Amino acid sequence: MDDDVTLPPHPPTTPTGEPAPDPRGAVTTADPHVVASRTLANLRDVGGRPTADGRTVRGGVAYRSAELRAPAIADDPVIAGLGVRTVVDLRTAAERTALPDVLPAGARGLHADVLELTPQAPAADLTEILRRPQEAQAVLAALEPAVQMRRTYADLVVADAGRAGYAALLRRFLDADATPVLYHCTAGKDRTGWATTVLLLAAGVDEAGARDEYLAVNPAVRAMYAPLLERFADVGGDPGLLVPLLEVREEYLDAALGTMVETFGSFDGYLRDGLRLTADEVAALREALVD
Protein backbone atom coordinates (compact mmCIF):
# COMPACT_ATOMS: atom_id res chain seq x y z
CA MET A 1 0.00 0.00 0.00
CA ASP A 2 1.37 3.40 -0.98
CA ASP A 3 2.00 5.87 1.82
CA ASP A 4 0.02 8.61 0.05
CA VAL A 5 -3.40 7.09 0.60
CA THR A 6 -5.82 9.81 1.63
CA LEU A 7 -8.63 9.58 4.15
CA PRO A 8 -11.22 12.24 4.91
CA PRO A 9 -11.32 13.79 8.38
CA HIS A 10 -13.78 12.40 10.86
CA PRO A 11 -17.21 14.01 10.48
CA PRO A 12 -18.01 16.63 13.13
CA THR A 13 -20.15 15.51 16.04
CA THR A 14 -21.89 16.96 19.07
CA PRO A 15 -20.11 16.68 22.46
CA THR A 16 -21.95 13.40 23.09
CA GLY A 17 -20.86 11.89 19.80
CA GLU A 18 -23.99 12.20 17.66
CA PRO A 19 -23.67 13.54 14.10
CA ALA A 20 -23.48 17.33 14.07
CA PRO A 21 -26.60 19.01 12.67
CA ASP A 22 -26.38 20.63 9.26
CA PRO A 23 -26.13 24.40 9.93
CA ARG A 24 -28.26 25.04 6.83
CA GLY A 25 -31.19 23.22 8.35
CA ALA A 26 -32.61 19.72 8.15
CA VAL A 27 -31.99 17.79 4.95
CA THR A 28 -35.15 16.18 3.59
CA THR A 29 -35.02 13.17 1.32
CA ALA A 30 -37.38 10.87 -0.49
CA ASP A 31 -34.68 8.21 -0.84
CA PRO A 32 -36.30 4.94 0.30
CA HIS A 33 -32.94 3.47 1.25
CA VAL A 34 -32.29 6.05 3.97
CA VAL A 35 -32.80 4.83 7.56
CA ALA A 36 -33.26 7.94 9.69
CA SER A 37 -31.31 7.74 12.96
CA ARG A 38 -30.38 10.56 15.32
CA THR A 39 -27.25 8.69 16.45
CA LEU A 40 -25.78 7.19 13.28
CA ALA A 41 -25.08 9.18 10.12
CA ASN A 42 -25.46 7.98 6.53
CA LEU A 43 -27.38 4.84 7.53
CA ARG A 44 -28.89 3.08 4.52
CA ASP A 45 -30.55 -0.24 3.65
CA VAL A 46 -28.81 -1.64 0.58
CA GLY A 47 -31.87 -3.74 -0.30
CA GLY A 48 -34.71 -2.88 -2.63
CA ARG A 49 -32.84 -2.39 -5.91
CA PRO A 50 -33.86 -4.51 -8.94
CA THR A 51 -31.49 -7.02 -10.45
CA ALA A 52 -30.90 -7.43 -14.16
CA ASP A 53 -32.99 -10.62 -14.25
CA GLY A 54 -36.05 -9.12 -12.59
CA ARG A 55 -35.42 -10.08 -8.98
CA THR A 56 -34.90 -7.66 -6.08
CA VAL A 57 -32.08 -7.22 -3.59
CA ARG A 58 -33.43 -8.35 -0.25
CA GLY A 59 -34.08 -5.62 2.30
CA GLY A 60 -33.08 -5.89 5.94
CA VAL A 61 -29.96 -7.95 5.20
CA ALA A 62 -27.22 -5.42 4.38
CA TYR A 63 -26.90 -1.96 5.93
CA ARG A 64 -24.20 0.67 5.39
CA SER A 65 -23.31 3.71 7.49
CA ALA A 66 -20.70 6.12 8.79
CA GLU A 67 -18.63 5.18 11.84
CA LEU A 68 -20.46 4.00 14.96
CA ARG A 69 -19.04 6.54 17.41
CA ALA A 70 -22.01 7.83 19.46
CA PRO A 71 -22.56 6.10 22.83
CA ALA A 72 -26.32 6.45 22.28
CA ILE A 73 -26.12 3.96 19.39
CA ALA A 74 -26.33 1.17 21.96
CA ASP A 75 -29.81 2.37 22.98
CA ASP A 76 -31.14 3.78 19.71
CA PRO A 77 -34.52 2.12 19.05
CA VAL A 78 -34.17 2.67 15.30
CA ILE A 79 -30.92 0.73 15.18
CA ALA A 80 -32.21 -1.89 17.59
CA GLY A 81 -35.12 -2.44 15.24
CA LEU A 82 -32.75 -3.43 12.44
CA GLY A 83 -31.69 -6.53 14.37
CA VAL A 84 -28.06 -6.22 13.31
CA ARG A 85 -26.01 -9.28 14.24
CA THR A 86 -22.65 -8.35 12.72
CA VAL A 87 -20.90 -4.99 12.40
CA VAL A 88 -17.99 -5.02 9.94
CA ASP A 89 -15.56 -2.15 10.51
CA LEU A 90 -13.62 -1.31 7.33
CA ARG A 91 -11.49 1.38 8.99
CA THR A 92 -7.77 1.25 9.70
CA ALA A 93 -6.43 -0.04 12.99
CA ALA A 94 -5.51 3.53 14.01
CA GLU A 95 -9.03 4.82 13.33
CA ARG A 96 -10.54 1.92 15.20
CA THR A 97 -8.27 2.44 18.21
CA ALA A 98 -9.03 6.16 18.37
CA LEU A 99 -12.81 5.69 18.04
CA PRO A 100 -13.90 2.12 18.76
CA ASP A 101 -17.28 1.00 17.47
CA VAL A 102 -20.28 1.29 19.73
CA LEU A 103 -22.03 -1.95 18.90
CA PRO A 104 -25.82 -2.30 18.85
CA ALA A 105 -27.18 -4.72 21.41
CA GLY A 106 -26.74 -8.32 20.28
CA ALA A 107 -24.22 -7.49 17.53
CA ARG A 108 -20.71 -8.86 17.15
CA GLY A 109 -17.89 -6.86 15.62
CA LEU A 110 -15.51 -7.86 12.84
CA HIS A 111 -12.51 -5.72 11.84
CA ALA A 112 -11.72 -5.90 8.12
CA ASP A 113 -9.15 -3.17 7.47
CA VAL A 114 -9.19 -2.61 3.70
CA LEU A 115 -6.40 -0.02 3.65
CA GLU A 116 -3.83 -0.90 6.34
CA LEU A 117 -2.16 2.51 6.29
CA THR A 118 1.33 2.78 7.66
CA PRO A 119 1.78 5.15 10.63
CA GLN A 120 3.93 7.35 8.39
CA ALA A 121 1.18 7.99 5.83
CA PRO A 122 1.28 11.80 5.52
CA ALA A 123 -2.43 12.27 4.82
CA ALA A 124 -3.82 9.50 6.98
CA ASP A 125 -5.58 11.93 9.33
CA LEU A 126 -6.45 15.34 7.95
CA THR A 127 -8.27 16.32 11.12
CA GLU A 128 -5.01 17.38 12.75
CA ILE A 129 -3.92 19.29 9.64
CA LEU A 130 -7.21 21.17 9.55
CA ARG A 131 -6.52 22.65 12.96
CA ARG A 132 -3.81 24.69 11.19
CA PRO A 133 -5.68 26.09 8.16
CA GLN A 134 -2.80 27.92 6.54
CA GLU A 135 -0.70 24.76 6.59
CA ALA A 136 -3.71 22.84 5.32
CA GLN A 137 -3.97 25.15 2.33
CA ALA A 138 -0.47 24.23 1.21
CA VAL A 139 -0.81 20.53 2.01
CA LEU A 140 -4.12 20.16 0.21
CA ALA A 141 -3.02 22.12 -2.84
CA ALA A 142 0.07 19.92 -3.21
CA LEU A 143 -1.89 16.75 -2.49
CA GLU A 144 -4.15 16.94 -5.56
CA PRO A 145 -7.01 15.34 -3.61
CA ALA A 146 -8.98 14.06 -6.60
CA VAL A 147 -5.89 12.32 -7.97
CA GLN A 148 -5.20 10.77 -4.58
CA MET A 149 -8.79 9.59 -4.26
CA ARG A 150 -8.60 7.81 -7.60
CA ARG A 151 -5.40 6.09 -6.45
CA THR A 152 -7.05 5.09 -3.21
CA TYR A 153 -9.97 3.50 -5.06
CA ALA A 154 -7.57 1.56 -7.26
CA ASP A 155 -5.78 0.33 -4.13
CA LEU A 156 -9.07 -0.86 -2.64
CA VAL A 157 -9.42 -3.18 -5.62
CA VAL A 158 -5.91 -4.60 -6.01
CA ALA A 159 -4.05 -4.28 -2.70
CA ASP A 160 -3.87 -7.31 -0.44
CA ALA A 161 -5.69 -5.56 2.41
CA GLY A 162 -8.65 -4.60 0.25
CA ARG A 163 -8.96 -8.02 -1.31
CA ALA A 164 -8.85 -9.78 2.06
CA GLY A 165 -11.13 -7.28 3.78
CA TYR A 166 -13.85 -7.26 1.15
CA ALA A 167 -13.77 -11.05 0.90
CA ALA A 168 -14.25 -11.26 4.67
CA LEU A 169 -17.22 -8.91 4.43
CA LEU A 170 -18.90 -10.86 1.62
CA ARG A 171 -18.47 -14.14 3.46
CA ARG A 172 -20.45 -12.75 6.41
CA PHE A 173 -23.53 -12.90 4.19
CA LEU A 174 -23.02 -16.62 3.66
CA ASP A 175 -23.67 -17.25 7.37
CA ALA A 176 -27.38 -16.90 8.12
CA ASP A 177 -26.55 -16.45 11.81
CA ALA A 178 -24.37 -13.41 10.98
CA THR A 179 -27.03 -11.39 9.18
CA PRO A 180 -28.25 -8.69 9.11
CA VAL A 181 -24.83 -7.11 8.58
CA LEU A 182 -23.99 -3.43 9.05
CA TYR A 183 -20.69 -2.35 7.49
CA HIS A 184 -19.01 1.03 7.65
CA CYS A 185 -15.83 3.08 7.39
CA THR A 186 -15.47 6.71 8.54
CA ALA A 187 -18.04 8.65 6.54
CA GLY A 188 -19.56 5.59 4.87
CA LYS A 189 -18.76 6.74 1.36
CA ASP A 190 -15.46 5.43 -0.11
CA ARG A 191 -14.44 2.13 1.43
CA THR A 192 -18.09 1.50 2.21
CA GLY A 193 -19.07 2.72 -1.25
CA TRP A 194 -16.87 0.16 -2.98
CA ALA A 195 -18.15 -2.55 -0.64
CA THR A 196 -21.71 -1.67 -1.62
CA THR A 197 -20.87 -1.64 -5.31
CA VAL A 198 -19.41 -5.13 -4.98
CA LEU A 199 -22.42 -6.38 -3.04
CA LEU A 200 -24.90 -5.04 -5.56
CA LEU A 201 -23.00 -6.35 -8.57
CA ALA A 202 -22.71 -9.74 -6.87
CA ALA A 203 -26.47 -9.71 -6.31
CA GLY A 204 -27.04 -9.14 -10.02
CA VAL A 205 -27.75 -5.40 -10.05
CA ASP A 206 -26.44 -3.79 -13.23
CA GLU A 207 -23.66 -1.22 -13.16
CA ALA A 208 -26.09 1.69 -13.54
CA GLY A 209 -28.00 0.60 -10.45
CA ALA A 210 -24.82 0.11 -8.43
CA ARG A 211 -23.59 3.53 -9.56
CA ASP A 212 -26.89 5.11 -8.49
CA GLU A 213 -26.46 3.74 -4.96
CA TYR A 214 -22.83 4.85 -4.85
CA LEU A 215 -23.74 8.45 -5.71
CA ALA A 216 -26.87 8.51 -3.54
CA VAL A 217 -24.91 9.14 -0.35
CA ASN A 218 -23.76 12.59 -1.44
CA PRO A 219 -26.63 14.55 0.18
CA ALA A 220 -25.97 12.88 3.55
CA VAL A 221 -22.21 13.21 3.24
CA ARG A 222 -22.39 16.89 2.30
CA ALA A 223 -24.69 17.58 5.25
CA MET A 224 -22.36 15.63 7.53
CA TYR A 225 -19.34 17.69 6.57
CA ALA A 226 -21.07 21.08 6.21
CA PRO A 227 -20.04 22.19 9.75
CA LEU A 228 -16.41 21.31 9.04
CA LEU A 229 -16.38 23.26 5.78
CA GLU A 230 -17.92 26.27 7.50
CA ARG A 231 -15.34 26.21 10.29
CA PHE A 232 -12.53 25.83 7.77
CA ALA A 233 -13.81 28.86 5.85
CA ASP A 234 -14.22 30.86 9.08
CA VAL A 235 -10.53 30.49 9.89
CA GLY A 236 -9.38 31.43 6.41
CA GLY A 237 -9.26 28.10 4.64
CA ASP A 238 -10.54 27.43 1.12
CA PRO A 239 -13.36 24.84 1.42
CA GLY A 240 -12.99 24.03 -2.26
CA LEU A 241 -9.69 22.30 -1.53
CA LEU A 242 -11.45 19.91 0.83
CA VAL A 243 -14.51 19.08 -1.26
CA PRO A 244 -12.86 16.33 -3.37
CA LEU A 245 -12.18 14.42 -0.14
CA LEU A 246 -15.66 14.92 1.26
CA GLU A 247 -17.93 13.62 -1.49
CA VAL A 248 -18.17 10.69 -3.86
CA ARG A 249 -17.61 11.21 -7.56
CA GLU A 250 -18.18 9.09 -10.63
CA GLU A 251 -14.50 9.43 -11.50
CA TYR A 252 -13.57 7.69 -8.25
CA LEU A 253 -15.86 4.74 -8.91
CA ASP A 254 -14.63 4.65 -12.51
CA ALA A 255 -11.07 4.33 -11.17
CA ALA A 256 -12.07 1.27 -9.15
CA LEU A 257 -14.07 -0.34 -11.93
CA GLY A 258 -11.37 0.35 -14.50
CA THR A 259 -8.68 -1.12 -12.25
CA MET A 260 -10.88 -4.16 -11.66
CA VAL A 261 -11.26 -4.85 -15.39
CA GLU A 262 -7.61 -4.10 -16.15
CA THR A 263 -6.38 -6.43 -13.39
CA PHE A 264 -8.96 -9.21 -13.28
CA GLY A 265 -10.70 -8.98 -16.66
CA SER A 266 -14.24 -8.70 -15.33
CA PHE A 267 -16.31 -8.55 -12.17
CA ASP A 268 -16.51 -12.35 -12.14
CA GLY A 269 -12.73 -12.44 -12.40
CA TYR A 270 -12.46 -10.02 -9.48
CA LEU A 271 -14.64 -12.24 -7.29
CA ARG A 272 -12.75 -15.37 -8.35
CA ASP A 273 -9.14 -14.23 -8.59
CA GLY A 274 -9.19 -11.04 -6.50
CA LEU A 275 -11.38 -12.02 -3.57
CA ARG A 276 -10.78 -15.77 -3.95
CA LEU A 277 -14.45 -16.67 -3.73
CA THR A 278 -15.37 -20.08 -5.12
CA ALA A 279 -18.14 -20.51 -7.68
CA ASP A 280 -20.31 -22.07 -4.96
CA GLU A 281 -19.70 -19.09 -2.67
CA VAL A 282 -20.59 -16.63 -5.42
CA ALA A 283 -23.84 -18.49 -6.14
CA ALA A 284 -24.70 -18.73 -2.45
CA LEU A 285 -23.93 -15.04 -1.95
CA ARG A 286 -26.38 -14.05 -4.64
CA GLU A 287 -29.11 -16.25 -3.18
CA ALA A 288 -28.48 -14.71 0.24
CA LEU A 289 -28.84 -11.21 -1.15
CA VAL A 290 -31.87 -11.47 -3.44
CA ASP A 291 -35.53 -12.37 -3.08
Side-chain angles (χ1 to χ4, degrees), residues 41 47 60 74 76 86 114 120 122 140 144 191 206 220 232 243 246 264:
D76 186 334
T86 306
V114 296
Q120 293 76 31
L140 291 167
E144 295 186 284
R191 290 166 284 185
D206 62 21
F232 192 48
V243 168
L246 305 183
F264 303 107

Side-chain angles (χ1 to χ4, degrees), residues 54 85 90 99 108 145 212 251 268 289:
R85 293 180 179 174
L90 303 174
L99 290 168
R108 298 181 62 182
D212 184 64
E251 65 180 285
D268 288 342
L289 292 174

Side-chain angles (χ1 to χ4, degrees), residues 39-52:
T39 65
L40 181 55
N42 204 11
L43 177 59
R44 299 175 60 84
D45 188 335
V46 177
R49 294 191 179 272
T51 63

Side-chain angles (χ1 to χ4, degrees), residues 3-156:
D3 283 356
D4 60 2
V5 172
T6 303
L7 295 178
H10 291 279
T13 61
T14 66
T16 53
E18 289 81 10
D22 180 0
R24 299 164 300 182
V27 176
T28 59
T29 178
D31 187 336
H33 300 278
V34 170
V35 180
S37 165
R38 65 178 180 82
T39 65
L40 181 55
N42 204 11
L43 177 59
R44 299 175 60 84
D45 188 335
V46 177
R49 294 191 179 272
T51 63
D53 63 356
R55 301 171 75 179
T56 304
V57 180
R58 185 173 290 137
V61 172
Y63 296 96
R64 58 180 295 183
S65 73
E67 58 193 357
L68 281 68
R69 65 188 299 182
I73 284 172
D75 302 313
D76 186 334
V78 172
I79 297 175
L82 304 181
V84 172
R85 293 180 179 174
T86 306
V87 173
V88 180
D89 186 346
L90 303 174
R91 297 176 301 168
T92 65
E95 291 174 296
R96 187 169 176 249
T97 298
L99 290 168
D101 272 346
V102 177
L103 296 177
R108 298 181 62 182
L110 172 68
H111 187 214
D113 184 346
V114 296
L115 279 179
E116 288 186 355
L117 293 180
T118 67
Q120 293 76 31
D125 188 358
L126 286 172
T127 305
E128 184 61 32
I129 294 174
L130 295 178
R131 294 193 179 105
R132 303 184 297 277
Q134 298 311 312
E135 179 179 334
Q137 294 277 117
V139 170
L140 291 167
L143 186 64
E144 295 186 284
V147 173
Q148 295 296 335
M149 291 299 291
R150 293 195 296 271
R151 290 176 180 170
T152 296
Y153 273 69
D155 282 338
L156 292 176

Side-chain angles (χ1 to χ4, degrees), residues 49 197 200-201 205-215 253:
R49 294 191 179 272
T197 300
L200 291 177
L201 293 177
V205 175
D206 62 21
E207 186 177 306
R211 187 179 297 271
D212 184 64
E213 170 60 29
Y214 171 78
L215 295 171
L253 183 59

Side-chain angles (χ1 to χ4, degrees), residues 235-258:
V235 295
D238 177 5
L241 292 173
L242 272 176
V243 168
L245 298 174
L246 305 183
E247 64 183 11
V248 294
R249 296 181 173 183
E250 292 206 54
E251 65 180 285
Y252 302 162
L253 183 59
D254 287 342
L257 292 170

